[in-house]
Amino acid sequence: MHILVTGGAGFIGSHVVRHFLRNYPSYTITNLDALTYAGNLENLRDVESLPNYRFVKGDITDGDFLRRLFQEHAFDGVIHLAAESHVDRSIASPTEFVVTNVLGTVNLLNAAKSFWQSDLEGKRFYHISTDEVYGSLGKEGIFTEQTPYDPHSPYSASKASSDHFVRAYHDTFALPVVISNCSNNYGACQFPEKLIPLFINNIRQNKPLPVYGKGENVRDWLWVEDHARAIDVIFHRGKNGETYNIGGHNEWTNIALIRLLCRIMDEKLGRTAGESEQLVTYVTDRAGHDLRYAIDSSKLQRELGWVPSISFEKGLELTVEWYLANQEWLDNVTSGGYQRYYEEIYGGR
Ligand code: NAD
Ligand code: DAU
């Protein structure tokens, strides 16, 4: 089997590439990534010399390039992760999210459709999506696969749109697709613009921790390697045309999570208890900030037997240890253009 993974140099993509290379040595994995600010081949150093791995630098917004790529390598499957993924960036520049997340996905669907149409047997187009397409929950309730779409940010609107296109290609052209919608991931190699790695980076540098609003928003956190395992079972055993929710049944208010993170950081850095928490600074809320996400993943657990493997406390400790052991990685990805981004997003708050 030859699988095309898009966005494999990013956070989740690099864990997916590693998981498939290690668990399926008979497969060939081609990683297609444009290496935007979020893509980093350092994330794959330990597996890049494996004989069944190939990297191609390329952009999913270029339809002609994708058609040539499909002709060159007869892919049997696609696992599509490439995207603009950060909500704050989507508020600052929405159009890039439409181009990459919507047009890029449609280009990929077109390439798969034209290359596979004579024989769809054994083919699979797997689109990786987010729980944010379902909108925001109040204090009660949980997102199921039947929850109507209600995106609020330009990011989630672009992901919702791409999900609709994927389903439309299934219904109209019989393309064998499957979709999963996952909650917030955490773990090694996440770009330090997202809450957990951003705050780890700021704590180590004694910089303020910018908590949006009152810190009462709730997210449902999942260990990224558990997401990669879920992607494996859905890719192999999910039903065509179906959607699977993925989540850890692990809800935390931002402020409770930040307090736990500060405690772990104090311990690992040998600081006195409570020292890191003094860096907490409440700042202007994110525009359109969704209050609460919570995922019901019982369909995936019941039908495909997937369960999360690790407690949040343990996973967060492992995550902190990874970032502290890889401070050079953090320094490399936060130099240059990132400084300008940080000023733009946080300067006026
Ligand atoms: P990321 O931003 O870390 O990585 C995205 C990758 O896509 C990068 O390597 C980047 O270089 C690549 N890319 C961007 N534009 C591209 C283009 N035009 N052509 C080719 N490659 C391009 O993102 P992530 O957090 O790893 O998320 C991966 C996917 O999972 C996304 O589709 C995201 O919507 C989805 N998702 C993320 C989370 C989360 O918590 N991070 C949760 C649920 C779903
Ligand atoms: O739910 C899945 C989604 O999770 C993915 O689809 C997205 O790609 C991913 O970025 C993530 O989106 P969030 O907006 O939930 O993640 P983020 O890490 O940006 O923020 C998590 C929470 O922390 C959110 O309530 C906003 C808050 N926050 C975030 C940042 C960056 C802060 O309070 N301060 C910050 O500086």
Side-chain angles (χ1 to χ4, degrees):
M1 183 169 257
H2 191 167
I3 303 174
L4 173 67
V5 177
T6 71
F11 166 48
I12 302 171
S14 60
H15 289 276
V16 170
V17 166
R18 179 178 298 98
H19 176 94
F20 274 76
L21 287 171
R22 288 207 173 136
N23 289 282
Y24 302 98
S26 66
Y27 291 6
T28 300
I29 305 296
T30 293
N31 171 15
L32 166 66
D33 199 297
L35 298 182
T36 67
Y37 78 92
N40 187 348
L41 290 176
E42 284 298 317
N43 298 348
L44 290 163
R45 276 289 172 249
D46 57 323
V47 289
E48 68 182 4
S49 57
L50 290 176
N52 56 333
Y53 172 69
R54 291 172 199 168
F55 173 70
V56 176
K57 185 171 186 301
D59 195 323
I60 57 166
T61 65
D62 183 346
D64 292 338
F65 159 74
L66 287 179
R67 269 192 293 280
R68 286 196 304 276
L69 191 73
F70 269 75
Q71 265 154 13
E72 210 175 304
H73 306 274
F75 300 120
D76 307 291
V78 174
I79 304 179
H80 175 38
L81 297 111
E84 288 295 335
S85 68
H86 190 39
V87 173
D88 292 322
R89 286 184 192 258
S90 82
I91 296 167
S93 27
T95 311
E96 285 167 34
F97 284 69
V98 181
V99 174
T100 297
N101 298 358
V102 186
L103 180 65
T105 300
V106 173
N107 283 341
L108 209 52
L109 287 164
N110 283 336
K113 171 177 161 289
S114 57
F115 194 75
W116 290 346
Q117 65 192 354
S118 57
D119 181 14
L120 291 170
E121 192 55 38
K123 306 295 192 296
R124 169 135 286 187
F125 187 105
Y126 183 178
H127 178 61
I128 307 299
S129 192
T130 171
D131 60 356
E132 299 199 9
V133 299
Y134 298 124
S136 181
L137 294 163
K139 290 216 177 310
E140 300 295 318
I142 193 157
F143 296 137
T144 71
E145 288 82 359
Q146 280 71 47
T147 302
Y149 276 28
D150 184 21
H152 296 133
S153 72
Y155 163 69
S156 53
S158 71
K159 291 298 288 187
S161 174
S162 62
D163 291 10
H164 290 316
F165 272 103
V166 173
R167 287 197 187 94
Y169 273 59
H170 172 263
D171 297 350
T172 310
F173 306 114
L175 201 72
V177 309
V178 68
I179 299 180
S180 58
N181 295 81
C182 188
S183 61
N184 288 62
N185 284 216
Y186 71 99
C189 300
Q190 185 169 33
F191 194 84
E193 61 188 353
K194 311 278 165 59
L195 181 74
I196 291 177
L198 174 73
F199 278 33
I200 293 174
N201 195 28
N202 284 13
I203 292 170
R204 92 181 161 112
Q205 300 181 93
N206 266 311
K207 281 171 63 174
L209 303 177
V211 179
Y212 296 164
K214 294 180 178 159
E216 285 168 357
N217 303 69
V218 175
R219 296 293 182 266
D220 183 352
W221 293 92
L222 181 70
W223 176 240
V224 64
E225 293 179 28
D226 283 335
H227 190 186
R229 284 194 305 110
I231 290 173
D232 175 351
V233 297
I234 294 168
F235 180 78
H236 287 104
R237 294 192 282 119
K239 289 195 198 112
N240 278 336
E242 295 271 324
T243 293
Y244 297 86
N245 279 354
I246 311 173
H249 288 288
N250 179 43
E251 292 182 51
W252 288 76
T253 61
N254 290 339
I255 194 63
L257 183 163
I258 291 159
R259 288 194 179 118
L260 172 62
L261 181 63
C262 287
R263 277 203 299 280
I264 298 174
M265 288 293 285
D266 281 345
E267 205 181 291
K268 301 286 172 194
L269 295 172
R271 293 182 179 176
T272 51
E275 202 177 324
S276 299
E277 207 180 309
Q278 285 172 14
L279 298 167
V280 165
T281 310
Y282 291 91
V283 300
T284 312
D285 208 353
R286 174 185 276 172
H289 197 173
D290 288 335
L291 177 66
R292 176 172 162 256
Y293 304 143
I295 272 276
D296 177 356
S297 60
S298 55
K299 175 179 174 185
L300 174 61
Q301 304 206 11
R302 197 177 53 246
E303 294 186 7
L304 303 181
W306 172 90
V307 278
S309 72
I310 187 169
S311 76
F312 186 60
E313 287 79 356
K314 183 70 201 157
L316 195 59
E317 190 181 347
L318 291 175
T319 303
V320 166
E321 284 171 0
W322 187 85
Y323 283 98
L324 293 180
N326 291 276
Q327 298 193 41
E328 205 182 325
W329 182 96
L330 269 175
D331 291 334
N332 287 343
V333 300
T334 51
S335 59
Y338 183 73
Q339 307 292 348
R340 285 191 295 281
Y341 161 82
Y342 200 85
E343 196 38 47
E344 190 184 322
I345 297 289
Y346 296 101
R349 279 194 147 109

